[in-house]
Amino acid sequence: MSVEVSLSGMDELMKKLEEMGNKAGKIQNTALSKAAETVLDAAKDKVPVNTGKLKDTLGIGKIKTKDGAKYIEVGINKGDTSDIFYGKFIEWGTSQRPATPYLQPAFEENINKVQEIIKQELKDGLGL
């Protein structure tokens, strides 16, 4: 699952982050990771079918960059072949099973909290 988050009123923070170079990257990564933890916790609470492994094994991926934007995957992705590969069938459904999303709703229901965590982590990291 990947989702883009856009924060308004962040121009000053972003300018200062660019000026800080590598330190800024670490601050951004911390902010993304902490926000991802919130979504992960919510997703685990929403898992509709649990064999015991799914809730325990859902996790947070590594921070990646695409087209200049950083992102982090939470839960599983469509290419998952791990022991919890069936979690993708629950989230997105199959030709024989309707989707019962738990990852996307976990994000959508926590978008304001995610934005606030990112904003606060950036401010704290920059000493604002």
Side-chain angles (χ1 to χ4, degrees):
M1 175 181 90
S2 65
V3 178
E4 291 184 30
V5 176
S6 178
L7 302 174
S8 60
M10 300 289 287
D11 293 339
E12 179 186 340
L13 284 175
M14 295 311 292
K15 183 178 178 184
K16 191 161 183 177
L17 283 173
E18 288 174 15
E19 293 170 0
M20 294 178 65
N22 288 338
K23 183 177 179 186
K26 290 178 184 178
I27 293 168
Q28 290 172 336
N29 292 352
T30 298
L32 278 173
S33 295
K34 287 190 177 183
E37 288 172 18
T38 298
V39 176
L40 178 63
D41 291 342
K44 286 182 176 184
D45 289 342
K46 292 186 154 307
V47 171
V49 177
N50 187 27
T51 62
K53 273 189 177 180
L54 187 55
K55 278 187 182 184
D56 294 340
T57 310
L58 284 176
I60 299 171
K62 294 180 181 178
I63 295 171
K64 299 176 184 176
T65 303
K66 182 176 181 179
D67 298 327
K70 287 188 176 186
Y71 68 96
I72 190 167
E73 293 181 338
V74 177
I76 56 172
N77 62 45
K78 289 187 178 186
D80 196 314
T81 59
S82 71
D83 288 347
I84 60 167
F85 72 94
Y86 58 89
K88 63 186 174 185
F89 303 138
I90 297 168
E91 178 74 11
W92 295 289
T94 69
S95 62
Q96 297 179 357
R97 183 190 194 293
T100 311
Y102 57 98
L103 296 169
Q104 188 67 33
F107 173 76
E108 290 172 358
E109 292 170 12
N110 287 283
I111 186 66
N112 292 334
K113 191 172 184 179
V114 164
Q115 290 175 337
E116 190 55 40
I117 289 169
I118 291 171
K119 186 176 179 179
Q120 192 60 50
E121 286 297 318
L122 293 174
K123 282 183 173 182
D124 291 348
L126 295 170
L128 299 177

